[in-house]
């Protein structure tokens, strides 16, 4: 008999949250939204609770939780409203939960994602920052607690689909020569380098192919997103840095590829819509409807490929550098990037200052090994302090 899977959606009001709920709504016999969480968007959470009637709704902010509880009472909805980071961890780990969609943006997602892995859940991982900040610790936690991990990031989901069944991380035994990580190149792929100084947050957030949250949109414009994804691929697939090749592919139809020693290259293709990787991971190992239209090859007509331009996109170079240094450096890179993106979005510094801030922070922090989540959070805090101090020198 088929049972309904209870799903916690961390970051339900975001772009991935929306797409996840869309897939859940298409399969009421398979999935039930058990808990939904958000930062402070009360109105959207209210609508989602009315539609999906989850057992729990968590707002990070206590005031927002109070407002939501009042609104749901007047709507006659029985969802229990909680607040705070401990409640995010709780709804990621309660025994009733089968799977957790980790779709909070940024470092804020790390604690509830860890909680899901610690309690042996199926973790559907969109929050790449968890792997960037704490890749080794997180992967160990997944193994130790018999959790399962499926990648939601479209590239990593494509790689997962292109790898041999039950790939164990041994590239040689599997005959893999390289992972080809595709990148759209973002909105400034062809802009003159001089014009980047004047870029506005609106221009940076206008991605040519994907509709995403603001932070990841800016990351795509700087190509830091691809840098973070190189680190993510390293931990997910045990891939050494020199076996991960970034390939700029402006159409975003091939979502990534795996090259084998016999010359074969296996790719996953599809329209750029996150519901495909979400439905793949949620239904795994079965294939289920996602609502995404079939790829029309005649409309696509052409697939182009270019080498990445490390001069135009210094963030990509910094991410490879952080991965090669290892230890705390990817967490430092991630924290400095979050402060840099936020400062750019608040118009406190130009687009071109983003890599300058990150490189500066990376230079001021000594490399060291991290062994616990607390170490990671301490590093994150320190790097943010250094980034803010650097920003203050600009003003
Ligand atoms: P988004 O900004 O649209 O949504 C973020 C969600 O996180 C919202 O629900 C928000 O309420 C919640 N949130 C924000 N700050 C929080 C905090 N401090 N505490 C608790 N909750 C908080 O972001 P998104 O584009 O959906 O991205 C989510 C994650 O998925 C990111 O890690 C991103 O890198 C990854 N991802 C997104 C896409 C995409 O297409 N959007 C693709 C691949 C990977
Ligand atoms: Mg991606």
């Amino acid at each position: 008999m088929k049972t309904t899977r209870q799903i916690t959606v961390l970051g339900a009001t975001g772009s991935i949250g929306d797409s996840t709920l869309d897939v859940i709504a298409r399969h009421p016999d398979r999935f039930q939204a058990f808990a939904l969480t958000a930062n402070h968007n009360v109105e959207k959470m209210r609508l989602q609770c009315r539609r999906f009637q989850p057992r729990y709704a968590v707002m990070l902010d206590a005031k927002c939780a109070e407002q939501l509880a009042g609104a749901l009472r007047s709507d006659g909805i029985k969802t229990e409203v909680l607040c705070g980071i401990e409640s995010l961890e709780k709804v990621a780990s309660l025994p009733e939960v089968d799977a957790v969609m980790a779709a909070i943006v940024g470092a804020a997602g790390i604690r509830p994602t860890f909680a899901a892995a610690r309690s042996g859940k199926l973790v559907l991982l969109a929050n790449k920052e968890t792997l960037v900040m704490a890749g080794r610790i997180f992967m160990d936690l997944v193994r130790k607690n018999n959790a399962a991990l499926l990648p939601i990031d479209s590239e990593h989901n494509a790689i997962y689909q292109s790898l041999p069944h039950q790939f164990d991380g041994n590239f040689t035994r599997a005959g893999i020569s390289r992972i080809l990580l595709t990148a759209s190149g973002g909105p400034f792929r062809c802009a003159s380098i001089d014009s980047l100084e004047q870029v506005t947050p609106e221009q940076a957030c206008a991605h040519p192919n994907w509709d995403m949250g603001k932070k990841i949109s800016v990351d795509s414009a700087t190509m830091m997103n691809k840098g973070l994804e190189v680190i993510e691929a390293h931990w997910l697939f045990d891939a050494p840095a020199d076996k991960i090749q970034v390939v700029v592919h402006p159409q975003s139809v091939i979502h990534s590829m795996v090259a084998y020693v016999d010359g074969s290259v296996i790719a996953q293709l599809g329209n750029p819509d996150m519901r495909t990787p979400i439905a793949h991971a949620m239904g795994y190992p079965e294939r289920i409807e996602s609502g995404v239209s079939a790829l029309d090859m005649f409309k696509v007509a052409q697939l182009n490929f270019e080498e990445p331009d490390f001069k135009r996109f210094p963030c990509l170079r910094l991410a490879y550098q952080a991965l090669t240094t290892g230890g705390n450096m990817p967490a430092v890179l991630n924290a400095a990037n979050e402060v840099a993106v936020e400062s750019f979005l608040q118009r406190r510094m130009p687009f071109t200052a983003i890599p300058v801030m990150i490189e500066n922070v990376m230079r001021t922090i000594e490399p060291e090994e991290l062994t616990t989540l607390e170490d990671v959070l301490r590093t994150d805090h320190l790097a943010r302090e250094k980034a803010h101090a650097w920003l203050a020198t600009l003003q």
Side-chain angles (χ1 to χ4, degrees):
M1 202 183 69
K2 197 152 62 181
T3 53
T4 314
R5 259 191 184 168
Q6 301 292 325
I7 316 280
T8 285
V9 185
L10 301 170
T13 54
S15 155
I16 294 287
D18 271 339
S19 298
T20 303
L21 290 174
D22 186 273
V23 173
I24 289 178
R26 286 167 196 278
H27 302 279
D29 54 329
R30 281 177 188 269
F31 308 118
Q32 157 86 42
F34 176 78
L36 303 180
T37 86
N39 194 8
H40 43 52
N41 192 341
V42 174
E43 225 11 74
K44 188 158 182 184
M45 182 56 103
R46 178 186 189 174
L47 294 174
Q48 291 184 339
C49 286
R50 287 214 306 229
R51 179 154 182 222
F52 292 94
Q53 314 241 339
R55 171 84 181 76
Y56 294 101
V58 184
M59 303 299 297
L60 184 69
D61 183 83
K63 270 223 170 67
C64 294
E66 239 174 71
Q67 284 171 22
L68 179 69
L72 293 183
R73 249 193 319 274
S74 67
D75 292 342
I77 305 285
K78 292 210 168 54
T79 298
E80 188 175 330
V81 180
L82 306 172
C83 70
I85 179 82
E86 288 76 19
S87 301
L88 292 176
E89 292 177 313
K90 174 180 165 174
V91 297
S93 47
L94 280 173
E96 299 94 309
V97 176
D98 298 305
V100 175
M101 171 59 73
I104 291 174
V105 60
I110 196 169
R111 281 184 49 184
T113 308
F114 261 66
R118 207 177 290 119
S119 17
K121 304 298 183 198
L122 165 59
V123 183
L124 309 168
L125 190 69
N127 179 262
K128 63 191 87 185
E129 293 88 348
T130 290
L131 277 178
V132 173
M133 294 169 74
R136 185 186 308 281
I137 305 170
F138 183 71
M139 294 307 284
D140 283 349
L141 193 71
V142 167
R143 272 187 288 269
K144 212 172 83 200
N145 295 287
N146 273 324
L149 182 60
L150 287 172
I152 296 298
D153 211 344
S154 57
E155 295 77 3
H156 305 76
N157 186 272
I159 294 163
Y160 188 88
Q161 295 195 47
S162 305
L163 283 169
H165 186 56
Q166 292 190 325
F167 172 63
D168 64 357
N170 189 324
F171 269 46
T172 313
R173 202 163 41 224
I176 297 168
S177 56
R178 269 177 319 159
I179 282 177
L180 303 170
L181 190 70
T182 55
S184 69
F188 308 130
R189 184 176 57 90
C190 303
S192 78
I193 294 191
D194 293 345
S195 68
L196 295 181
E197 184 78 27
Q198 307 302 329
V199 156
T200 64
E202 292 73 22
Q203 290 167 327
C205 288
H207 195 277
N209 307 333
W210 296 93
D211 180 13
M212 309 180 288
K214 277 205 172 87
K215 192 256 176 183
I216 186 174
S217 297
V218 176
D219 284 350
S220 299
T222 60
M223 282 194 80
M224 178 56 94
N225 184 48
K226 212 47 54 182
L228 300 179
E229 289 183 359
V230 168
I231 303 173
E232 185 184 9
H234 167 74
W235 291 114
L236 279 173
F237 308 116
D238 254 339
D242 63 354
K243 300 255 184 215
I244 308 170
Q245 159 96 67
V246 172
V247 177
V248 176
H249 162 50
Q251 291 91 355
S252 299
V253 164
I254 296 181
H255 299 307
S256 278
M257 302 173 260
V258 177
Y260 290 85
V261 290
D262 61 2
S264 301
V265 177
I266 311 273
Q268 187 260 359
L269 287 73
N271 284 319
D273 186 322
M274 289 306 293
R275 290 175 302 174
T276 295
I278 289 169
H280 168 265
M282 285 184 61
Y284 191 82
E286 284 177 58
R287 295 277 177 177
I288 61 172
E289 284 282 343
S290 65
V292 178
S293 54
L295 183 65
D296 183 339
M297 287 298 194
F298 303 116
K299 253 199 198 135
V300 173
Q302 261 192 2
L303 298 174
N304 298 79
F305 306 98
E306 297 164 11
E307 267 187 61
D309 179 347
F310 285 84
K311 273 222 176 71
R312 178 190 299 267
F313 298 113
C315 285
L316 192 53
R317 170 179 59 78
L318 292 172
Y320 270 106
Q321 190 184 314
L323 176 57
T324 314
T325 306
N328 57 348
M329 219 34 82
V332 170
L333 171 98
N334 181 68
N337 180 55
E338 286 192 28
V339 176
V341 170
E342 191 60 36
S343 308
F344 164 66
L345 286 172
Q346 293 167 347
R347 297 173 210 271
R348 294 173 70 193
M349 64 181 219
F351 182 74
T352 41
I354 294 174
V356 184
M357 177 192 269
I358 300 166
E359 186 152 32
N360 227 278
V361 174
M362 285 171 69
R363 276 212 202 105
T364 59
I365 296 180
E366 285 297 313
E368 59 165 334
E369 277 311 315
L370 304 178
T371 49
T372 64
L373 177 58
E374 286 62 42
D375 290 346
V376 176
L377 295 174
R378 191 176 32 77
T379 300
D380 178 71
H381 186 75
L382 174 67
R384 280 168 201 271
E385 272 181 2
K386 300 269 187 198
H388 283 295
W390 185 84
L391 182 66
T393 67
L394 285 189
Q395 269 124 30

